Amino acid sequence: MPVALDESMGQWVDVPGGRVWRVEVAAGNAFTARLHLKGIDLPAGQEIRLSNPGQENSVVGPIEGTGEFGDGTAWGLAMATNRTMIEWFVPEGTRVRGLPFAGLEYYHGYRDI
């Protein structure tokens, strides 16, 4: 399912060396969840991580540039939870002008397999 997302929906947190923008995407009663980013184009020094909060070994990243495959896409892991998170690191002194990806899809399952 496509998700309409903009910078105002997340929260900026100061961290050593810069700031991290965090946003959680969830569906009420889902058993599983997975994120898919499209159109990734990160300037040098910026990184994205995808994860499922509260799930061990669920972090994908750091994602840099146009992603692992060089095609502007990245996939989070499919995990037994309804919660997913995007974290975008921006180094100190960097000015941002919108999100560094063009689209987001949230995949979720409602049947326990």
Side-chain angles (χ1 to χ4, degrees):
M1 150 179 13
V3 176
L5 192 65
D6 64 52
E7 191 181 335
S8 70
M9 297 171 160
Q11 174 184 359
W12 284 103
V13 178
D14 291 329
V15 297
R19 301 182 302 155
V20 171
W21 178 81
R22 291 183 180 135
V23 67
E24 188 173 300
V25 180
N29 296 317
F31 282 105
T32 61
R34 184 178 194 193
L35 288 176
H36 178 213
L37 293 181
K38 297 178 179 181
I40 300 169
D41 189 12
L42 291 157
Q46 295 186 22
E47 301 174 348
I48 291 177
R49 285 178 172 75
L50 305 176
S51 66
N52 301 81
Q55 300 290 312
E56 278 190 52
N57 302 317
S58 73
V59 176
V60 172
I63 299 162
E64 301 172 316
T66 56
E68 175 183 10
F69 305 108
D71 64 357
T73 65
W75 288 87
L77 300 176
M79 303 290 287
T81 181
N82 68 334
R83 298 171 54 211
T84 59
M85 181 174 285
I86 301 169
E87 294 180 300
W88 167 33
F89 172 77
V90 177
E92 261 180 44
T94 302
R95 184 175 174 192
V96 297
R97 298 178 191 181
L99 298 175
F101 52 89
L104 169 66
E105 293 179 337
Y106 173 81
Y107 292 88
H108 56 282
Y110 283 94
R111 292 186 187 199
D112 187 5
I113 55 172

